[in-house]
Amino acid sequence: MRSTAPQDYTLSTFRALANTLIPPPTNQDELESTPGASDMCIYEYIVYALDHYIPIQTYVYQGNIPLALPTALMINEAARQYAYTNRPPFSYQQATQSNHHFFSSLSRQDRIQTLAHLEDLNLDLYTLPTPFQNNAGLIKHVTDALNRLTLFGYYSEWSSYGSTRLNPPDERYQEFFPLSWYHVGYPGVSLGYRDFRGFLLRIRRNEGGR
Amino acid sequence: MSRNPDVIVIGSGGGGAVIAKELGEIGLSVWVLDAGPWYGNCKWPNPNQHRGAESSDDPKDLDGNLYREQITRREGDMNDIVTGKFRWGPADRRRGPWFRNIPDQAILWQNAGIGGTTLHYYSNSPRPYPHSINHQWPITYEELIPYFEKVEETLPVEFAPTTSKEAVFYYGAERSGFSLNDSLDVSTVGYRPQPNAILPPNEHLMDPNYSLEELSHMEGCTLAGHCGQGCPYGPSLEKMAKRSTNISYVPLALKTKKVTFRPNAFVTKVLTEMNPSGEHQAVGVQFRDTWTGETEEVNAKIVVMAAGCIETPRLWLNSDLPNNPWVGRGLTNHYMDTVTGTFDEDTLMNILGQPEINPFVGHTSGARLDYPGVGMIETLGESPGLTAQQLFGFSQAGYYQYNDASKPGGRVVGEPLKEDMGDYRRTLTLLAITEDDVQYRNRVQLDPHIKDEHGHVPLVHYKPSHQDEKKRDYLVEIATNILKHAGAKSVYRSNLAPNLYIHLESTMRMGFVVDSSCEAYQVNRLYIADNSVHYNSAGGVNPTLTTQALATRTAEKIVEKYF
């Protein structure tokens, strides 16, 4: 896949998001057992999900409204407004140096505060890109979804599709056991468990079920 | 497949499959149109990749081995809300899901496909509380009992077996002062196993001479914990342990030789005409093939809408049926919350004789506390992705670490998330389910600005009442006490956002949109057989059995009146 500037921008924003919600371990020795969400490429999962989330009819054709880029723009705009208000002197110069990657230039804690402000609509909604501009419901919905997608992407088996992870859903194959499942102790797909401890009650049908 | 059947049923989920089987057994010819794919039918060997055949009406087409191949039991492959095999969207997973506009934090968990939302449901099949029906619904609880019994025998329903998580729950409930409730008709507070539509465990499950591989091809539940992923274990499709309607009622419907199911068919319009006395009556439907985009019409003497609480009102409104101010109104969703207890190994050794609960073992929800007048509490043990998403990633209270003390709960992220998920095997989660009020403002309406290939998309709005909030807080308090009495060293509340749709009810209410036989007041020969006809939230009890009993009854009413 050819890399383009908007793609880089989108991916790096969601890399910062994934890194914020599920960070890599502070101790490098634990990186293999409990990697961060960005180590497991969860930002690619988020981009795919956002770009396929809302398929509606536009004026010309039926298709997906790709939300990843506008969502990345929205997060960065929210980060910019958060930093100007709460983290002076966050200067214009600083912002331009970070090449409009405002969100990733913030600390982890400030990034979470940015998401919270966005979800609480605590910013100027007019400055947001289409389709989020002045669209409070969609802002709340998608900001919430960013959390759910990151957590589901990380703790489901998605990362274990390895080199096939970005293929269409029916052309993905598990290449290894998901690290997150290993970390939480989930054995994965199971045929059954021998943990039958009896019945507390049985239904008595011949008595009319009562 | 006979053109112009006696009855068209729209949707093959909890209600549609039931009414199709009942009508087929009476001898009527029935077409069931479902918008999604059919798993476990040899006419669709690759249902997500190719259109396959048009329809199936032969039980010999059902294939348990194929079902087992397709239902992979991996939560991402099965339950991903965007690309999962179980989702509200077309069979072709390269395409996105069908959009519902919910302008708030929201999860709406429904499926298209033969079996509908029962494909992923936990098979919980309790009867509603008598007090929530009597003196409120236009029919009585007693009138429904024979239909509950019939559905319970047909599925069949049995009390869930005890595994570790139920054992810890019963221990905590007992020590909190609650007593065991040995009844299907619940009028008092108490705990009991969930009545579930899951076959009891195979008698050899604990016998090491039988391998789990062998047992998974034998009759009975293997406690594999994949209820939410479809669970394809059993000797043949119709004998699989988990009794979604594609496993229970659809094979029975096919055996009547009177019922034809057509997947990949999205109904876009109910066709009506005026009879000589000036009344509207349903005469058929228009539907769209989700693979080819071709539109067809088919006529019938009766049309049954069983598309669910969102799509049934949407279809009514998109069909320009007569105006009724209650269409889509009165939406309830049981305003849910979760409380999770984490236990240390010593405590669990004392209760269970083992250091872990392993919430992924056994029925996903196998035990409950009934609290008529308030709602209920049930155990919940999902796989890690679904667990993390719902318990730690979805909340109306922002982020736990950054909240002040006035806001309970909130999302957990960062290192604390990893720590909490690291304790996964020693957790027990309880789901608090509220008997929420019917409110006119809570609704499904058409979004005037957004359309998809099936017309205006649904716009969904829900806000709990103050009373609902109080009830939910009370249930959370009880659930917290149960966990603490069981010995949990820490208890965590999610404070879930209100737009969580797992149990949807009452958007086409009996007494307002349909009469007590579930026929529309304003359109003759148009019936409804899904959760939308419920008069209220049925006490805060899992709604499927109520819908299935009503669908059984409605089949009789249709025959009495029109055949």
Side-chain angles (χ1 to χ4, degrees):
Chain A
M1 199 192 300
R2 198 162 59 91
S3 176
T4 60
Q7 248 174 24
D8 288 345
Y9 173 80
T10 307
L11 283 174
S12 73
T13 303
F14 290 119
R15 190 181 288 123
L17 176 89
N19 205 347
T20 303
L21 297 177
I22 309 179
T26 38
N27 183 348
Q28 278 299 307
D29 298 346
E30 293 169 12
L31 191 60
E32 275 193 21
S33 59
T34 62
S38 62
D39 305 317
M40 281 163 54
C41 303
I42 300 304
Y43 46 90
E44 293 173 346
Y45 172 83
I46 300 169
V47 169
Y48 184 95
L50 287 174
D51 280 345
H52 291 79
Y53 196 43
I54 301 188
I56 57 171
Q57 196 166 314
T58 59
Y59 287 108
V60 189
Y61 71 108
Q62 171 72 38
N64 295 316
I65 304 288
L67 281 181
L69 177 59
T71 305
L73 289 164
M74 172 173 76
I75 296 173
N76 280 305
E77 176 57 23
R80 187 183 70 86
Q81 291 189 34
Y82 175 80
Y84 278 157
T85 316
N86 299 285
R87 289 288 174 267
F90 185 84
S91 65
Y92 179 76
Q93 197 185 11
Q94 228 178 324
T96 44
Q97 271 168 3
S98 63
N99 198 20
H100 300 282
H101 291 68
F102 302 106
F103 185 71
S104 41
S105 69
L106 297 179
S107 69
R108 272 199 65 243
Q109 190 171 340
D110 283 348
R111 287 182 214 161
I112 290 171
Q113 293 288 9
T114 296
L115 294 174
H117 275 242
L118 195 51
E119 191 167 50
D120 291 342
L121 308 173
N122 202 355
L123 75 166
D124 181 358
L125 307 188
Y126 180 77
T127 58
L128 300 179
T130 308
F132 297 107
Q133 187 180 43
N134 289 339
N135 192 344
L138 190 66
I139 295 165
K140 285 183 80 122
H141 187 95
V142 171
T143 307
D144 168 62
L146 295 174
N147 295 278
R148 289 188 283 111
L149 291 170
T150 306
L151 268 56
F152 188 75
Y154 183 86
Y155 283 108
S156 71
E157 83 280 5
W158 180 82
S159 62
S160 69
Y161 294 122
S163 63
T164 67
R165 68 187 181 278
L166 296 176
N167 288 358
D170 289 294
E171 294 165 32
R172 299 175 306 186
Y173 305 95
Q174 271 196 294
E175 293 178 351
F176 47 85
F177 191 78
L179 277 175
S180 56
W181 285 5
Y182 177 78
H183 168 61
V184 303
Y186 179 63
V189 171
S190 154
L191 293 166
Y193 297 102
R194 300 186 202 269
D195 189 29
F196 176 50
R197 294 165 181 254
F199 285 99
L200 192 60
L201 292 177
R202 300 302 297 261
I203 291 181
R204 300 184 294 273
R205 291 203 196 283
N206 52 4
E207 294 167 30
R210 284 194 268 184
Chain B
M1 184 161 87
S2 67
R3 214 55 215 184
N4 301 338
D6 294 322
V7 181
I8 292 166
V9 179
I10 304 163
S12 65
V18 172
I19 200 164
K21 172 259 183 192
E22 295 295 332
L23 292 169
E25 282 185 352
I26 293 166
L28 303 188
S29 60
V30 182
W31 265 37
V32 184
L33 304 174
D34 196 284
W38 196 337
Y39 297 109
N41 187 308
C42 64
K43 284 190 163 175
W44 291 272
N46 296 296
N48 305 113
Q49 286 152 298
H50 303 288
R51 178 171 180 261
E54 197 165 86
S55 63
S56 165
D57 57 7
D58 188 345
K60 291 198 194 84
D61 293 340
L62 300 176
D63 184 340
N65 290 327
L66 182 63
Y67 192 63
R68 187 163 168 147
E69 270 172 42
Q70 293 163 340
I71 305 303
T72 59
R73 290 142 279 164
R74 298 192 296 264
E75 54 180 343
D77 191 38
M78 300 310 302
N79 305 114
D80 190 304
I81 220 152
V82 177
T83 60
K85 285 177 176 158
F86 295 167
R87 63 170 186 167
W88 177 248
D92 182 352
R93 298 200 284 165
R94 291 164 298 188
R95 295 169 52 194
W98 288 313
F99 182 54
R100 274 86 179 266
N101 190 5
I102 314 172
D104 206 346
Q105 304 138 326
I107 301 177
L108 201 156
W109 216 20
Q110 282 186 319
N111 304 324
I114 302 294
T117 302
T118 70
L119 284 165
H120 77 213
Y121 88 145
Y122 300 154
S123 300
N124 303 139
S125 304
R127 299 179 183 184
Y129 300 142
H131 92 96
S132 62
I133 307 284
N134 287 334
H135 311 298
Q136 298 195 55
W137 292 42
I139 54 176
T140 64
Y141 183 83
E142 286 65 33
E143 201 180 331
L144 285 172
I145 286 179
Y147 302 103
F148 292 140
E149 288 171 353
K150 184 171 186 184
V151 177
E152 285 161 354
E153 279 199 40
T154 307
L155 282 168
V157 174
E158 181 52 88
F159 281 126
T162 307
T163 66
S164 301
K165 61 180 184 280
E166 292 81 24
V168 174
F169 176 75
Y170 298 144
Y171 178 80
E174 187 82 46
R175 287 172 60 109
S176 305
F178 295 106
S179 51
L180 180 66
N181 217 341
D182 181 4
S183 179
L184 293 174
D185 306 299
V186 174
S187 307
T188 54
V189 180
Y191 67 89
R192 59 182 176 139
Q194 286 271 26
N196 281 346
I198 297 176
L199 302 182
N202 185 284
E203 57 178 330
H204 301 296
L205 181 61
M206 301 300 282
D207 181 347
N209 293 317
Y210 290 82
S211 72
L212 288 168
E213 172 71 31
E214 278 175 276
L215 286 157
S216 73
H217 290 281
M218 292 160 70
E219 202 167 308
C221 176
T222 63
L223 307 177
H226 292 305
C227 304
Q229 289 77 50
C231 195
Y233 295 141
S236 63
L237 186 122
E238 63 194 86
K239 290 187 175 166
M240 300 269 170
K242 188 199 155 186
R243 313 301 291 164
S244 307
T245 54
N246 61 319
I247 302 297
S248 55
Y249 275 87
V250 171
L252 294 173
L254 291 171
K255 278 186 189 154
T256 67
K257 296 284 182 188
K258 299 294 287 181
V259 184
T260 301
F261 288 85
R262 179 162 175 173
N264 308 312
F266 198 114
V267 175
T268 48
K269 191 168 188 182
V270 174
L271 305 171
T272 57
E273 59 184 33
M274 210 75 102
N275 68 14
S277 43
E279 295 167 326
H280 291 275
Q281 65 176 39
V283 295
V285 302
Q286 183 186 73
F287 65 93
R288 184 181 182 278
D289 186 306
T290 63
W291 286 94
T292 65
E294 286 170 6
T295 301
E296 290 181 46
E297 286 187 4
V298 58
N299 293 326
K301 299 187 184 84
I302 301 288
V303 174
V304 179
M305 298 202 282
C309 280
I310 306 286
E311 293 300 321
T312 292
R314 176 198 186 192
L315 179 59
W316 178 291
L317 296 166
N318 270 333
S319 302
D320 284 326
L321 297 183
N323 179 46
N324 179 321
W326 276 95
V327 165
R329 294 280 175 165
L331 170 68
T332 57
N333 74 5
H334 286 170
Y335 189 40
M336 300 180 181
D337 205 351
T338 58
V339 186
T340 301
T342 304
F343 295 76
D344 60 32
E345 293 185 358
D346 291 344
T347 308
L348 294 175
M349 281 304 289
N350 284 337
I351 306 173
L352 298 170
Q354 66 184 43
E356 286 155 342
I357 295 175
N358 296 327
F360 48 83
V361 172
H363 290 199
T364 300
S365 179
R368 57 190 287 118
L369 178 91
D370 293 288
Y371 210 119
V374 184
M376 57 171 275
I377 291 165
E378 65 177 35
T379 53
L380 178 67
E382 261 298 359
S383 43
L386 293 168
T387 299
Q389 171 184 256
Q390 187 176 333
L391 304 190
F392 302 119
F394 184 64
S395 177
Q396 62 181 336
Y399 295 87
Y400 176 70
Q401 292 110 306
Y402 299 92
N403 283 344
D404 56 47
S406 66
K407 254 187 190 172
R411 297 189 192 90
V412 178
V413 296
E415 274 307 318
L417 169 70
K418 278 185 174 175
E419 282 166 26
D420 285 351
M421 283 303 292
D423 291 332
Y424 171 62
R425 294 184 73 145
R426 288 184 286 106
T427 60
L428 176 64
T429 297
L430 302 181
L431 183 61
I433 301 184
T434 312
E435 176 190 35
D436 55 340
D437 292 332
V438 170
Q439 298 181 86
Y440 188 73
R441 71 176 181 210
N442 292 336
R443 65 190 183 270
V444 177
Q445 64 176 79
L446 296 183
D447 187 317
H449 305 296
I450 304 178
K451 276 183 170 182
D452 68 6
E453 65 269 42
H454 308 119
H456 287 279
V457 304
L459 176 65
V460 185
H461 173 86
Y462 177 87
K463 191 168 185 282
S465 70
H466 293 307
Q467 185 66 16
D468 300 336
E469 284 170 352
K470 278 189 205 157
K471 285 181 181 173
R472 192 177 84 152
D473 284 346
Y474 184 54
L475 290 170
V476 164
E477 194 184 313
I478 294 171
T480 305
N481 274 334
I482 291 175
L483 292 168
K484 284 187 176 160
H485 276 104
K489 68 171 184 187
S490 65
V491 177
Y492 165 75
R493 174 184 184 179
S494 304
N495 201 351
L496 297 176
N499 281 277
L500 170 63
Y501 298 98
I502 299 175
H503 298 169
L504 301 92
E505 287 170 282
S506 61
T507 52
M508 302 287 269
R509 301 170 68 206
M510 193 187 283
F512 292 82
V513 179
V514 297
D515 65 18
S516 61
S517 66
C518 295
E519 184 176 14
Y521 282 121
Q522 294 155 297
V523 184
N524 295 336
R525 298 174 179 272
L526 179 63
Y527 285 81
I528 301 180
D530 56 38
N531 290 2
S532 70
V533 296
H534 295 194
Y535 179 87
N536 56 17
S537 63
V541 170
N542 321 61
T544 310
L545 186 88
T546 305
T547 288
Q548 294 179 321
L550 278 171
T552 308
R553 178 177 172 273
T554 302
E556 287 179 11
K557 300 286 181 193
I558 289 173
V559 175
E560 273 169 27
K561 185 166 177 186
Y562 290 110
F563 293 94

